Coordinates of all heavy atoms in Angstrom, one line a residue:
Y6 N 14.7 -11.9 3.7 CA 14.6 -12.8 2.6 C 14.3 -12.1 1.3 O 14.1 -12.8 0.2 CB 13.6 -13.8 2.9 CG 13.8 -14.6 4.2 CD1 13.0 -14.3 5.2 CD2 14.8 -15.5 4.3 CE1 13.2 -15.0 6.5 CE2 15.0 -16.2 5.5 CZ 14.2 -15.9 6.6 OH 14.4 -16.5 7.7
G7 N 14.2 -10.8 1.3 CA 13.9 -10.1 0.1 C 12.4 -10.0 -0.2 O 11.9 -9.6 -1.4
N8 N 11.5 -10.4 0.7 CA 10.1 -10.4 0.5 C 9.4 -9.3 1.3 O 10.0 -8.7 2.2 CB 9.5 -11.8 1.1 CG 10.2 -12.9 0.4 OD1 10.5 -12.9 -0.8 ND2 10.3 -14.0 1.2
I9 N 8.2 -9.1 0.9 CA 7.3 -8.1 1.6 C 6.8 -8.7 2.9 O 6.2 -9.9 2.8 CB 6.1 -7.7 0.7 CG1 6.6 -7.0 -0.5 CG2 5.2 -6.7 1.5 CD1 5.5 -6.6 -1.5
A10 N 7.0 -8.2 4.0 CA 6.6 -8.8 5.3 C 5.1 -9.0 5.3 O 4.4 -8.3 4.7 CB 7.0 -7.9 6.4
N11 N 4.7 -10.1 6.0 CA 3.3 -10.4 6.2 C 2.6 -9.2 6.8 O 3.1 -8.5 7.7 CB 3.1 -11.6 7.1 CG 3.5 -12.9 6.4 OD1 3.6 -13.0 5.2 ND2 3.9 -13.9 7.2
K12 N 1.4 -8.9 6.3 CA 0.5 -7.8 6.7 C 1.1 -6.4 6.6 O 0.6 -5.4 7.1 CB 0.2 -8.0 8.3 CG -0.4 -9.3 8.6 CD -0.8 -9.5 10.1 CE -1.4 -10.8 10.4 NZ -1.7 -10.9 11.8
Y13 N 2.2 -6.3 5.7 CA 2.8 -5.0 5.4 C 1.7 -4.1 4.9 O 1.5 -2.9 5.3 CB 3.9 -5.1 4.5 CG 4.6 -3.8 4.1 CD1 5.7 -3.3 4.8 CD2 4.1 -3.1 3.1 CE1 6.3 -2.1 4.4 CE2 4.7 -1.8 2.7 CZ 5.8 -1.4 3.4 OH 6.4 -0.2 3.1
I14 N 0.9 -4.5 3.9 CA -0.1 -3.7 3.3 C -1.2 -3.4 4.2 O -1.7 -2.2 4.4 CB -0.6 -4.3 1.9 CG1 0.5 -4.5 0.9 CG2 -1.7 -3.6 1.4 CD1 0.2 -5.3 -0.3
R15 N -1.7 -4.4 4.8 CA -2.9 -4.3 5.7 C -2.6 -3.3 6.8 O -3.5 -2.4 7.2 CB -3.3 -5.6 6.3 CG -4.5 -5.6 7.2 CD -4.8 -6.9 7.8 NE -5.2 -7.8 6.8 CZ -5.4 -9.2 7.0 NH1 -5.4 -9.6 8.3 NH2 -5.7 -10.0 6.0
K16 N -1.4 -3.4 7.4 CA -1.1 -2.5 8.6 C -1.2 -1.0 8.1 O -1.6 -0.2 8.9 CB 0.3 -2.8 9.1 CG 0.3 -4.1 9.9 CD 1.7 -4.4 10.5 CE 1.7 -5.6 11.3 NZ 3.1 -5.9 12.0
R17 N -0.7 -0.7 6.9 CA -0.7 0.7 6.4 C -2.0 1.1 5.9 O -2.2 2.3 6.0 CB 0.5 0.8 5.4 CG 1.8 0.7 6.1 CD 3.0 0.3 5.1 NE 4.2 0.3 5.9 CZ 4.6 -0.6 6.8 NH1 3.8 -1.6 7.0 NH2 5.7 -0.5 7.4
M18 N -2.7 0.2 5.4 CA -4.0 0.6 4.8 C -5.1 0.7 5.8 O -6.2 1.2 5.6 CB -4.5 -0.4 3.6 CG -3.5 -0.4 2.5 SD -3.3 1.3 1.7 CE -5.0 1.6 1.1
T19 N -4.9 0.1 7.0 CA -6.0 0.1 8.1 C -5.5 0.6 9.4 O -6.2 0.7 10.3 CB -6.5 -1.3 8.3 OG1 -5.4 -2.2 8.7 CG2 -7.0 -2.0 7.0
G20 N -4.2 1.0 9.5 CA -3.7 1.5 10.7 C -4.0 2.9 11.0 O -4.8 3.6 10.3
K21 N -3.5 3.5 12.1 CA -3.9 4.8 12.5 C -3.3 5.9 11.6 O -3.9 7.0 11.5 CB -3.2 5.1 13.9 CG -1.8 5.0 14.0 CD -1.3 5.3 15.4 CE 0.2 5.3 15.6 NZ 0.6 5.5 17.0
N22 N -2.3 5.6 10.7 CA -1.8 6.5 9.7 C -2.3 6.2 8.3 O -1.6 6.5 7.3 CB -0.3 6.5 9.8 CG 0.2 7.0 11.1 OD1 -0.3 8.0 11.7 ND2 1.3 6.4 11.6
Q23 N -3.4 5.5 8.2 CA -3.8 4.9 6.9 C -4.1 6.1 5.9 O -4.0 5.8 4.7 CB -5.1 4.1 7.0 CG -6.3 5.0 7.7 CD -7.5 4.1 7.8 OE1 -8.2 3.7 6.9 NE2 -7.8 3.6 9.1
D24 N -4.3 7.3 6.3 CA -4.6 8.4 5.4 C -3.3 8.7 4.6 O -3.3 9.4 3.6 CB -5.0 9.7 6.1 CG -6.5 9.5 6.7 OD1 -7.2 8.6 6.1 OD2 -6.8 10.3 7.5
R25 N -2.1 8.3 5.1 CA -0.9 8.6 4.4 C -0.6 7.6 3.3 O 0.2 7.9 2.4 CB 0.4 8.4 5.4 CG 0.5 9.6 6.4 CD 1.6 9.2 7.5 NE 2.7 8.6 6.8 CZ 3.7 7.9 7.4 NH1 3.5 7.6 8.7 NH2 4.7 7.5 6.8
F26 N -1.5 6.6 3.1 CA -1.2 5.5 2.1 C -2.4 5.4 1.3 O -3.6 5.5 1.7 CB -0.8 4.2 2.8 CG 0.3 4.3 3.8 CD1 0.1 4.5 5.2 CD2 1.6 4.2 3.3 CE1 1.2 4.6 6.0 CE2 2.7 4.3 4.2 CZ 2.5 4.5 5.5
F27 N -2.2 5.0 0.1 CA -3.3 4.6 -0.9 C -2.8 3.6 -1.9 O -1.6 3.7 -2.3 CB -4.0 5.8 -1.5 CG -3.2 6.5 -2.6 CD1 -3.3 6.1 -3.9 CD2 -2.2 7.4 -2.3 CE1 -2.6 6.8 -4.9 CE2 -1.4 8.1 -3.2 CZ -1.7 7.8 -4.6
I28 N -3.7 2.9 -2.5 CA -3.4 2.0 -3.6 C -4.1 2.5 -4.8 O -5.4 2.6 -4.8 CB -3.8 0.5 -3.3 CG1 -2.9 -0.1 -2.1 CG2 -3.8 -0.4 -4.5 CD1 -3.3 -1.5 -1.6
G29 N -3.4 2.7 -5.8 CA -4.0 3.2 -7.1 C -2.9 3.8 -8.0 O -1.7 3.4 -7.9
S30 N -3.3 4.7 -8.8 CA -2.4 5.4 -9.7 C -2.6 6.9 -9.5 O -3.7 7.4 -9.5 CB -2.6 5.0 -11.1 OG -1.7 5.7 -11.9
P31 N -1.5 7.7 -9.4 CA -1.6 9.2 -9.3 C -2.5 9.8 -10.3 O -3.1 10.8 -10.1 CB -0.1 9.6 -9.3 CG 0.7 8.5 -8.8 CD 0.0 7.3 -9.3
G32 N -2.4 9.3 -11.5 CA -3.2 9.8 -12.6 C -4.7 9.2 -12.7 O -5.4 9.6 -13.7
G33 N -4.9 8.3 -11.8 CA -6.3 7.8 -11.9 C -6.4 6.5 -12.9 O -7.5 6.1 -13.1
Q34 N -5.3 6.1 -13.3 CA -5.4 5.0 -14.3 C -5.9 3.7 -13.6 O -5.8 3.6 -12.4 CB -4.0 4.7 -14.9 CG -3.6 5.9 -15.9 CD -2.7 6.9 -15.1 OE1 -2.8 7.0 -13.9 NE2 -1.9 7.6 -15.9
K35 N -6.3 2.8 -14.4 CA -6.8 1.5 -13.8 C -5.7 0.6 -13.5 O -4.5 0.8 -13.8 CB -7.7 0.8 -14.9 CG -8.9 1.6 -15.2 CD -9.8 0.8 -16.2 CE -11.1 1.5 -16.5 NZ -11.9 0.8 -17.5
A36 N -6.0 -0.5 -12.7 CA -5.0 -1.5 -12.3 C -4.4 -2.0 -13.6 O -5.0 -2.3 -14.6 CB -5.7 -2.6 -11.5
G37 N -3.1 -2.2 -13.5 CA -2.3 -2.7 -14.7 C -1.5 -1.6 -15.3 O -0.6 -1.9 -16.1
D38 N -1.8 -0.4 -14.9 CA -1.0 0.6 -15.4 C 0.4 0.7 -14.8 O 0.6 0.2 -13.8 CB -1.7 2.0 -15.1 CG -0.9 3.3 -15.5 OD1 -0.9 3.5 -16.7 OD2 -0.3 3.9 -14.6
K39 N 1.3 1.2 -15.6 CA 2.8 1.2 -15.1 C 3.0 2.0 -13.8 O 4.0 1.8 -13.2 CB 3.7 1.7 -16.2 CG 3.5 3.2 -16.6 CD 4.4 3.6 -17.7 CE 4.2 5.1 -18.0 NZ 5.1 5.6 -19.1
N40 N 2.0 2.9 -13.5 CA 2.2 3.7 -12.3 C 1.3 3.2 -11.1 O 1.3 3.9 -10.1 CB 1.8 5.1 -12.6 CG 2.8 5.8 -13.6 OD1 4.0 5.7 -13.4 ND2 2.2 6.6 -14.5

């Protein structure tokens, strides 16, 4: 349907491979930054 599947974020942020994922900006900018 062109949507993000339910629990897509949670599975990656709390799963066994969670170290591979992070939410933020590579440059350390705050939320709302283009990156």
Side-chain angles (χ1 to χ4, degrees):
Y6 304 107
N8 300 327
I9 298 173
N11 289 336
K12 299 182 181 179
Y13 179 93
I14 298 175
R15 182 182 297 176
K16 285 182 178 179
R17 284 155 182 77
M18 296 302 295
T19 61
K21 61 181 181 180
N22 296 318
Q23 59 183 284
D24 291 342
R25 285 174 47 200
F26 305 94
F27 74 92
I28 291 176
S30 178
Q34 292 93 337
K35 295 181 180 180
D38 177 77
K39 64 180 180 180
N40 295 316

